[in-house]
Amino acid sequence: MTTSETRRSLREQPAASGAPAPALSPVGRPSRRGPGRAIGDLLLWIAAAGGVICIVLVVLAFTAQITLIMFRTGSMSPTIPAGSVSIVQRIPAGEIEIGDVVTVDRPGELPVTHRVTSIEPGASAQERVITMRGDANASEDPFPYTVTSVRIVLFSVPGIALLVAGMGSPIVLGGLTLAATALVVWAFWPRSGGGSRRRRAGGVI
């Protein structure tokens, strides 16, 4: 009997005798993941990305004076339609230029965001007197604004104001917190040891 025949007979012996074939080690094989696990991983990545975005926004707010504003009216349409969210950055009044879209804070009133149409020196070196007009308005605002700083619009994203406003609701924040907690617990919850028992039964230690 040749060596190759001996090896073949040894390989065929367990099948012929009805004994279970030795289990193969799972090392090196790609793990099989069900659709539930894949969806859970995707949701974890989305939650992580959302957390990173929130952290970045907080850092920018403190370091670069960058914040968000929402447009409830269409006075800046079609450039910035109602329901848009804009990224704004606070700048000194001396950096304002004609044509800039800026937000002016008004004590006791809502801020106004319009386009600058004229700039005049103020009572001090830091002050400027500006006039503004909304792109959708036929005339300038009824009075000028004396400012030492404004928030200039860097860019806008239309149609997400309601979403951003909803994210600030206590009910929504509470629901998101509970959902994120449940997702993290599910992701790190110990899995069943059935796989280990099967491997031990098959002869793998």
Side-chain angles (χ1 to χ4, degrees), residues 46-202:
I46 293 174
V52 170
I53 291 173
C54 291
I55 293 172
V56 170
L57 289 176
V58 170
V59 171
L60 290 176
F62 281 98
T63 60
Q65 296 290 301
I66 292 178
T67 53
L68 304 177
I69 62 170
M70 292 180 288
F71 286 79
R72 301 181 183 275
T73 67
S75 63
M76 279 300 298
S77 297
T79 308
I80 307 176
S84 299
V85 171
S86 291
I87 308 297
V88 297
Q89 181 178 23
R90 186 169 294 280
I91 62 172
E95 297 181 10
I96 304 172
E97 297 180 359
I98 294 177
D100 288 341
V101 178
V102 302
T103 298
V104 173
D105 297 311
R106 301 181 294 177
E109 298 183 67
L110 291 175
V112 59
T113 305
H114 282 164
R115 192 177 301 278
V116 177
T117 56
S118 70
I119 306 171
E120 299 292 339
S124 66
Q126 291 77 29
E127 280 187 353
R128 295 292 186 273
V129 180
I130 62 175
T131 58
M132 301 196 302
R133 183 178 67 191
D135 288 0
N137 297 342
S139 59
E140 295 180 344
D141 295 355
F143 48 82
Y145 305 94
T146 300
V147 295
T148 55
S149 68
V150 296
R151 290 179 286 168
I152 186 170
V153 174
L154 301 178
F155 64 90
S156 301
V157 181
I160 65 170
L162 289 179
L163 176 62
V164 173
M167 294 292 287
S169 168
I171 296 177
V172 174
L173 289 176
L176 289 176
T177 301
L178 292 176
T181 302
L183 185 61
V184 171
V185 170
W186 175 84
F188 292 98
W189 193 264
R191 296 295 186 262
S192 171
S196 298
R197 289 194 295 269
R198 285 193 297 270
R199 288 194 293 272
R200 286 196 297 268

